[in-house]
């Protein structure tokens, strides 16, 4: 397929590589900045373009991977003159119907993973959630999804919103806990890599036990001496102290359910 | 060495197995409940005992792994009549000097890992933090630590408190985020195992990138539409909504530092 990538961020970069490896022809890469468009075009192929009006109309598929908040402004200008083509976006929280009235065939391809430009991922293991508004779009999107990943699921826009929310907890909030941990260690001269075996085991554990069964530490033991003392260590960092207290209470409450 | 284990919880169970595998002789296992004492004695060896006065005085080493809040009441009764023996505890947040005035030779052996009775761990990869009050205790504790683990570090009680706090963020709070994620998925009929590739990649990523560099998602992009919409999905679960908002704000603040 001839594909145009709209957006050149972390997800678009990793998806572009995977599409190229699957034998597709990336004909253009759009980004608001010439640097980003050029960087991804050099990796995935195609011509960089920064003016949405310059996006060519003869591709088969347009894949939109941009910040959700700019979609509303971008889509009418993108779809214009390409109404019979297939459009999809890759956002967890955006409804499929964002394309309604602008295109005939459209859908969603949401690869649930944390992507960074500098970190290679194995796309074939990523759970991908697809949705389409008609059979034609569905066939094209499902075929592409199965080429890229061994784990393809159908999911409605309504349920995908909750999936994305669950992913924010399991990934972004987890990573923020790592970041706070790193900061506390750095403040006391301890390198972050001493924490990696614990981080790995915590992730590995929930392959075998449910997170509720896997929980350990002062909050689930309700070891109030330790909880009070640890909160006091954070007295000069009230926002982190606040997170400490709310998560400790949350663990205690979950354990009693 | 002849060793008595005081406590038969998650840490004591995993440590007892590792000590047995290293060729030590577990001669007694104390727990307040006969079930726990017997269960660990069957795994690690030795006689179960539930009365602290019945702990024999002829062992070389007494390893205390109990909830921090019961240590104060337990230690005087444990140490009495065994003043020349070596005592150590395994708690991240407890000062070494909790033994002061009760024993002559004492210290700390803190294996920084999340232990569950039902989940096997490879002890040799666990970072272990040791401290001792004199050379004699240090030699015994360091020798034992090096037998059990390839990653042994010296750390003072003062710094170990912060290490333990950092571990609570990197493990217990991370696991609570997994638990919330599982709950959101379960409420929408999605099995938790779709989340495992994302969980694994999130953990793997911080081996290569710092958590700050590794961060992705709506909060670090400051995608306010998505943040507002996701918070609204949690309107019937105010405690989880509160955690969502505070962690999103925390990510945004960290990213600007």
């Amino acid at each position: 397929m001839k594909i145009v990538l709209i957006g050149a961020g972390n997800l678009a970069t990793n998806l572009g590589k995977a599409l190229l490896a699957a034998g597709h022809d990336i004909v253009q890469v759009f980004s608001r900045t010439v640097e980003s468009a050029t960087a991804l075009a050099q990796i995935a192929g195609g011509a960089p373009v920064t003016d949405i009006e310059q996006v060519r109309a003869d591709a088969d598929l347009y894949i939109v991977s941009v910040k959700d908040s700019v979609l509303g402004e971008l889509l009418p200008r993108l779809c214009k003159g390409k109404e019979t083509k297939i459009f999809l976006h890759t956002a967890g929280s955006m409804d499929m119907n964002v394309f309604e009235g602008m295109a005939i065939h459209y859908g969603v391809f949401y690869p649930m993973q944390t992507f960074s430009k500098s970190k290679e991922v194995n796309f074939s293991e990523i759970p991908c959630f697809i949705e389409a508004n008609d059979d034609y779009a569905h066939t094209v999107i499902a075929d592409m999804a199965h080429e890229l990943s061994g784990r393809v699921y159908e999911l409605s826009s309504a349920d995908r919103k909750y999936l994305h929310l669950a992913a924010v907890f399991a990934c972004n909030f987890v990573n923020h806990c790592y970041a706070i941990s790193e900061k506390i260690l750095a403040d006391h001269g301890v390198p972050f890599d001493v924490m990696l075996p614990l981080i790995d085991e915590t992730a590995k554990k929930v392959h075998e036990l449910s997170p509720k069964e896997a929980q350990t530490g002062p909050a689930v033991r309700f070891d109030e001496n330790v909880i009070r003392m640890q909160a006091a260590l954070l007295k000069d960092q009230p926002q982190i102290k606040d997170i400490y207290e709310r998560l400790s209470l949350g663990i205690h409450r979950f354990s009693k359910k």
Side-chain angles (χ1 to χ4, degrees), chain A:
Chain A
M1 279 194 294
K2 281 189 187 172
I3 298 175
V4 174
L5 297 178
I6 307 296
N10 294 332
L11 192 157
T13 299
N14 283 274
L15 180 57
K17 283 184 201 173
L19 288 167
L20 181 69
H24 291 292
D25 187 12
I26 314 290
V27 295
Q28 263 182 341
V29 175
F30 166 84
S31 171
R32 278 170 302 175
T33 69
V34 67
E35 293 76 18
S36 298
T38 306
L40 180 48
Q42 279 170 353
I43 293 168
V49 52
T50 57
D51 177 359
I52 196 76
E53 315 290 346
Q54 301 297 313
V55 172
R56 47 197 276 187
D58 65 344
D60 302 301
L61 178 64
Y62 296 80
I63 300 181
V64 182
S65 306
V66 297
K67 194 167 156 167
D68 294 16
S69 52
V70 305
L71 263 184
E73 181 260 333
L74 194 77
L75 287 191
R77 299 169 65 203
L78 170 66
C79 297
K80 206 178 153 206
K82 313 179 190 74
E83 286 78 5
T84 59
K85 305 298 181 171
I86 298 177
F87 292 84
L88 63 84
H89 74 67
T90 58
S93 289
M94 184 66 57
D95 204 285
M96 177 175 71
N97 291 335
V98 70
F99 292 111
E100 203 175 343
M102 292 186 236
I104 301 167
H105 313 290
Y106 52 85
V108 178
F109 171 78
Y110 171 51
M112 190 172 67
Q113 189 49 281
T114 169
F115 296 108
S116 293
K117 289 180 188 178
S118 60
K119 171 81 172 67
E120 205 73 44
V121 292
N122 181 355
F123 220 98
S124 68
E125 293 170 1
I126 299 174
C128 294
F129 297 86
I130 64 169
E131 187 183 12
N133 80 315
D134 65 11
D135 287 347
Y136 175 55
H138 186 269
T139 302
V140 170
I141 295 170
D143 285 355
M144 182 194 83
H146 286 288
E147 279 168 21
L148 298 181
S149 170
R151 301 182 66 171
V152 178
Y153 305 87
E154 308 276 339
L155 199 73
S156 69
S157 289
D159 282 340
R160 196 177 56 253
K161 283 195 177 86
Y162 285 95
L163 181 74
H164 186 213
L165 176 61
V168 165
F169 275 92
C171 170
N172 309 145
F173 291 172
V174 160
N175 187 71
H176 189 54
C177 291
Y178 297 160
I180 294 172
S181 182
E182 183 184 40
K183 185 187 179 327
I184 294 167
L185 292 177
D187 288 347
H188 294 85
V190 180
F192 182 60
D193 67 359
V194 302
M195 207 50 83
L196 294 175
L198 180 59
I199 285 173
D200 291 347
E201 176 66 14
T202 304
K204 233 166 87 182
K205 237 176 151 173
V206 293
H207 286 247
E208 290 182 32
L209 303 173
S210 78
K212 196 178 150 176
E213 292 167 323
Q215 191 59 279
T216 60
V220 75
R221 285 196 306 270
F222 205 52
D223 204 335
E224 291 175 278
N225 293 348
V226 177
I227 295 169
R228 214 174 300 122
M229 191 272 287
Q230 293 197 322
L233 295 179
L234 294 168
K235 66 180 187 309
D236 296 332
Q237 298 168 82
Q239 285 137 13
I240 296 179
K241 181 168 181 276
D242 198 60
I243 288 171
Y244 178 90
E245 286 169 340
R246 278 159 206 273
L247 286 171
S248 291
L249 191 62
I251 289 171
H252 179 58
R253 282 200 183 115
F254 257 55
S255 73
K256 309 218 293 182
K257 272 180 193 165

